[in-house]
Amino acid sequence: MIDLLEPPQGDLRLLDTELAQRLLAADLPARLAFTAPDGTPRVIPVNFWWNGSEIVMAGFAPSKRSRMLRARPEVAITIDTNSTPPEVLLIRGPAQVSEVHGLLPEYAAALRKGGSERVEQDLALLSARAPRMERIAVRPTWAGLMDFRTRYPEAAPEWMKGPADPAPHPTHEETIR
């Protein structure tokens, strides 16, 4: 694992830190930000799957979202906790949209992260309907990470950075509550 303090914001090595790996594996929604054709911003919560090189999201085809992403593929993604202090992973990169016939494996994997007993029933129902799905893959070109204990926003005032809190990071279970 990469030391959390070493890489600067923007460095893709941040994705290899323990904190980033925990956030990428957590049962948390990602927030996908993109630009609509009229130039206005959009942000939507979406399930995702990290395959080690891409964040993969899915939707049912055809969708307005995929048309917008094809027109303007540059996106930003945030995965963050609801804890105090928050833990935040920021990712930027181009979205690549492709259509798949049938249930997208990454869609199933993203739903299974929650461990709900109904997931398998829901997936079986969707598989029987043989949906046409959209695979939205973002290969990061920039990554940022904040835990508000050792890593802060670049423009944070010095008083915010103060003496480091010696309290340990929350466990995975605490993070996803």
Side-chain angles (χ1 to χ4, degrees), residues 4-10 14 19 84-90 92 142-167 169:
L4 183 63
L5 299 175
E6 184 181 320
Q9 299 290 40
L14 288 169
L19 175 57
T84 303
E87 296 173 321
V88 182
L89 175 60
L90 305 168
R92 298 180 200 153
W142 185 96
L145 197 57
M146 295 174 285
D147 65 0
F148 294 89
R149 289 186 176 135
T150 59
R151 293 189 68 93
Y152 298 86
E154 289 179 357
E158 286 305 313
W159 63 261
M160 181 185 281
K161 297 176 185 177
D165 180 1
H169 285 284

Side-chain angles (χ1 to χ4, degrees), residues 41-145:
R42 300 285 193 270
V43 178
I44 58 170
V46 62
N47 287 324
F48 71 94
W49 181 255
W50 171 248
N51 67 14
S53 61
E54 299 172 314
I55 289 186
V56 180
M57 297 154 283
F60 297 99
S63 75
K64 188 175 179 181
R65 174 180 57 182
S66 69
R67 287 192 301 277
M68 289 190 272
L69 290 173
R70 284 184 173 111
R72 293 183 170 190
E74 288 301 318
V75 302
I77 297 170
T78 300
I79 303 165
D80 57 346
T81 64
N82 216 12
S83 59
T84 303
E87 296 173 321
V88 182
L89 175 60
L90 305 168
I91 294 173
R92 298 180 200 153
Q96 186 173 20
V97 181
S98 57
E99 285 195 21
V100 176
H101 290 284
L103 196 63
L104 187 66
E106 292 96 339
Y107 177 77
L111 291 182
R112 287 183 179 119
K113 283 196 297 186
S116 170
E117 296 173 15
R118 285 207 39 160
V119 168
E120 294 308 319
Q121 293 172 332
D122 294 343
L123 291 173
L125 179 66
L126 287 172
S127 291
R129 293 183 177 173
R132 210 169 87 221
M133 295 195 78
E134 295 164 337
R135 181 181 192 271
I136 303 164
V138 176
R139 186 173 298 271
T141 57
W142 185 96
L145 197 57

